């Protein structure tokens, strides 16, 4: 075959050889033969390597690595859109707007993004919004008798989330007349001590509310979404997501059905229902094992309270009052098994400090506190839990009744003839 185009000598010759005279009929070493032109190899040496070849290999490697990273990133978004896709939860929000439910693989999703999309689509403002962590995920609207409630829970919230979630309702002009704000044991954990990162997608909303309140936001060093980037670049995560996607009996979708075999259900009122497969896993033996293990982990790991977080929440409470929103604070009750096994360690002292902090805020702002960390004071028993923290509606309804009773008492005090 005739040779055409530019031919390059890729030999890794030393400088001495490169300077040697060319053999008859051949170009001098260090040049490439081509009709009417010559290309010096030193132009390629800038890419690294004595003769250019290692440098081009390095460039090719970088390009391939970049393509691989991009492919992993996009694939994780493709096969776990509810967790990583910016528009991945739009189908769920659209289903809610149409009065439908939405089935998902599990509850590991970007629920903060879901709340943004859902609240934006509201056609009316709920009478009551419940703000809290996943301890409240089974708080269905029907458990509250006195008001129409929207369950605005998110997973693993911290004090920044209290501001960030409020921002969603303020920005969309859907701030309710009443808000129940849950304070869990680790609510005010300093940012540098946290070991979970589900709060990262809510940082932008937190920063917006911090601006409204005149609060200096957390340093970017702590709030950039390092963990979410890491997860989207994870090959292990990709394997799990792809395997789940192709092995699933059914994939996430809108439906008028409430119960699925393999999908958990997101309801338009903000609460959830477990899949049949998950319900089968939640045995008493598993619940006890989970509660005991969590107690062992926390028994001498007391809650730490960040004064900066308390001060920010204090300002938020003032802001909500000025907006005409009545706030009630609530503590989620623990599984009695867990609560019994953290006794005697340093954890309880930290929990008591949390109680006192919340009591002080409530007294300052004239707020009621319902619920309790101690399940005995609420009437919740071990058979009402799936682990150390997450109770079923049988327990949650007892807390909701306390709120109903407060509303009933407030209504009675305003009745004619009452002082």
């Amino acid at each position: 075959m005739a040779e055409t185009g530019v031919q390059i000598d890729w030999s890794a010759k030393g400088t001495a050889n490169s300077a040697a005279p060319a053999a008859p009929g051949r170009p001098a070493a260090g040049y490439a033969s081509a009709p009417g032109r010559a290309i010096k190899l030193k132009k390629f040496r800038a890419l690294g390597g004595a003769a250019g070849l290692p440098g081009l290999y390095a460039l090719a490697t970088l390009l391939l690595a970049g393509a691989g990273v991009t492919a992993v990133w996009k694939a994780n978004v493709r096969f776990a859109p509810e967790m990583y896709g910016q528009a991945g939860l739009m189908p769920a929000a659209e289903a809610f707007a149409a009065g439908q439910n939405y089935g998902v693989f599990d509850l590991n999703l970007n629920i903060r993004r879901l709340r943004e999309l859902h609240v934006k689509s509201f056609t009316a403002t709920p009478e009551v919004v419940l703000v809290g962590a996943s301890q409240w995920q089974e708080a269905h609207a029907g458990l509250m008798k006195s008001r129409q409630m929207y369950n605005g829970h998110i997973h693993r919230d911290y004090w920044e989330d209290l501001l960030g979630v409020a921002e969603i309702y303020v920005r969309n002009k859907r701030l309710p007349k009443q808000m129940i704000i849950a304070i869990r044991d680790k609510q005010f954990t300093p940012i540098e001590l946290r070991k979970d990162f589900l709060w990262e997608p809510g940082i932008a909303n937190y920063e917006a509310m911090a601006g409204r309140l005149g609060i200096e936001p957390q340093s970017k060093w702590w709030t950039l979404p390092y963990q979410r980037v890491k997860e989207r670049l994870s090959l292990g995560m990709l394997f799990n997501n792809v395997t789940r996607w192709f092995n699933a009996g059914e994939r996430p979708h809108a439906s008028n059905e409430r119960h699925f075999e393999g999908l958990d259900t997101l309801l338009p009122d903000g609460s959830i229902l477990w899949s049949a497969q998950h319900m089968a896993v939640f045995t008493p033996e598993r619940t006890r094992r989970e509660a005991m293990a969590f107690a062992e982990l926390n028994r001498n790991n007391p809650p730490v309270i960040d004064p900066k977080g308390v001060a920010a929440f204090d300002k938020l409470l003032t802001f909500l009052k000025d907006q005409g929103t009545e706030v009630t604070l609530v503590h989620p009750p623990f599984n009695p098994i867990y609560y019994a096994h953290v006794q005697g360690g340093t954890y309880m002292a930290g929990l008591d400090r949390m109680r006192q902090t919340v009591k002080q805020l409530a007294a300052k702002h004239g707020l009621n506190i319902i619920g309790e960390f101690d399940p005995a004071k609420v009437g919740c028993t071990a058979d009402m839990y799936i682990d150390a923290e997450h109770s079923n509606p049988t327990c949650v309804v007892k807390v909701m009744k306390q709120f109903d009773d407060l509303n009933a008492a407030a209504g009675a005090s305003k009745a004619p003839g009452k002082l």
Side-chain angles (χ1 to χ4, degrees):
M1 180 181 291
E3 295 182 355
T4 58
V6 179
Q7 303 299 315
I8 301 175
D9 180 6
W10 294 110
S11 61
K13 297 178 180 178
T15 304
N17 289 337
S18 297
R26 293 181 61 189
Y31 289 83
S33 62
R37 63 177 176 157
I39 301 176
K40 294 184 178 181
L41 276 175
K42 68 180 181 180
K43 293 182 179 180
F44 292 95
R45 290 175 186 159
L47 300 176
L53 182 57
L56 289 179
Y57 276 162
L59 178 60
T61 300
L62 286 174
L63 291 175
L64 287 173
V69 166
T70 301
V72 171
W73 179 285
K74 290 185 175 181
N76 270 320
V77 172
R78 164 70 177 81
F79 293 108
E82 294 86 6
M83 178 59 108
Y84 301 119
Q86 183 67 6
L89 284 160
M90 183 63 76
E94 292 172 346
F96 297 158
Q100 290 186 300
N101 309 312
Y102 197 80
V104 292
F105 287 132
D106 58 44
L107 302 181
N108 290 314
L109 48 82
N110 185 355
I111 198 166
R112 289 158 177 80
R113 176 62 176 163
L114 177 60
R115 296 294 175 237
E116 288 186 64
L117 295 172
H118 193 187
V119 172
K120 186 177 181 179
S121 71
F122 281 179
T123 58
T125 301
E127 293 179 318
V128 181
V129 170
L130 171 62
V131 177
S134 56
Q135 289 96 333
W136 306 100
Q137 59 194 2
E138 293 193 67
H140 311 306
L143 299 182
M144 183 178 291
K145 305 302 181 184
S146 61
R147 299 286 188 275
Q148 179 223 14
M149 181 185 74
Y150 175 68
N151 184 343
H153 79 277
I154 56 179
H155 301 161
R156 283 291 165 192
D157 68 336
Y158 289 103
W159 64 264
E160 294 93 342
D161 283 310
L162 300 178
L163 276 65
V165 170
E167 169 64 23
I168 294 172
Y169 297 94
V170 173
R171 184 170 65 241
N172 290 288
K173 296 180 172 56
R174 294 299 177 191
L175 201 60
K177 290 297 183 182
Q178 290 183 292
M179 185 174 281
I180 303 173
I181 299 180
I183 305 297
R184 66 187 183 98
D185 58 338
K186 302 296 178 67
Q187 194 78 55
F188 297 110
T189 300
I191 196 168
E192 64 272 15
L193 298 182
R194 300 173 193 170
K195 300 185 186 306
D196 49 77
F197 305 93
L198 291 177
W199 50 270
E200 287 184 349
I203 290 299
N205 289 323
Y206 150 70
E207 291 176 340
M209 178 54 74
R212 292 181 189 272
L213 301 179
I215 297 171
E216 183 180 356
Q218 298 276 30
S219 165
K220 290 294 184 182
W221 174 260
W222 293 108
T223 56
L224 289 175
Y226 302 110
Q227 184 65 21
R228 286 183 64 76
V229 170
K230 179 181 176 181
E231 288 175 359
R232 275 178 280 193
L233 296 177
S234 168
L235 287 173
M237 189 70 71
L238 176 60
F239 176 81
N240 291 336
N241 290 334
V242 171
T243 300
R244 180 178 66 177
W245 183 267
F246 286 105
N247 288 340
E250 52 185 335
R251 293 172 184 165
H253 66 280
S255 175
N256 291 321
E257 299 295 325
R258 290 171 59 88
H259 298 280
F260 301 94
E261 176 65 25
L263 300 178
D264 295 328
T265 309
L266 304 177
L267 300 175
D269 67 7
S271 64
I272 68 100
L273 292 170
W274 294 108
S275 68
Q277 291 177 4
H278 274 145
M279 288 299 295
V281 170
F282 300 149
T283 63
E285 294 76 19
R286 177 190 179 276
T287 297
R288 182 175 183 80
R289 185 171 62 251
E290 291 284 323
M292 294 285 284
F294 198 52
E296 186 63 27
L297 182 67
N298 283 336
R299 193 167 186 270
N300 289 300
N301 182 26
V304 179
I305 298 175
D306 184 355
K308 181 178 180 180
V310 176
F313 185 47
D314 186 0
K315 287 194 173 185
L316 176 65
L317 292 174
T318 298
F319 173 83
L320 292 174
K321 184 177 181 179
D322 291 342
Q323 300 301 308
T325 296
E326 176 188 319
V327 173
T328 299
L329 303 177
V330 60
H331 292 310
F334 285 110
N335 185 329
I337 298 172
Y338 171 85
Y339 197 75
H341 283 82
V342 291
Q343 303 295 320
T346 59
Y347 176 84
M348 289 306 300
L351 197 63
D352 286 339
R353 285 192 292 273
M354 177 62 74
R355 285 190 181 99
Q356 292 305 312
T357 297
V358 174
K359 285 180 179 179
Q360 290 168 6
L361 287 170
K364 178 179 179 179
H365 295 276
L367 310 179
N368 290 306
I369 303 174
I370 60 176
E372 229 297 325
F373 294 123
D374 182 351
K377 294 183 179 180
V378 181
C380 295
T381 54
D383 59 315
M384 300 175 182
Y385 289 78
I386 62 172
D387 55 24
E389 301 177 284
H390 297 92
S391 62
N392 63 31
T394 310
C395 174
V396 175
V397 72
K398 295 178 181 294
V399 181
M400 295 297 102
K401 185 179 184 305
Q402 293 180 5
F403 184 76
D404 285 334
D405 290 344
L406 285 176
N407 280 327
S413 68
K414 295 177 183 178
K418 298 290 185 179
L419 296 178

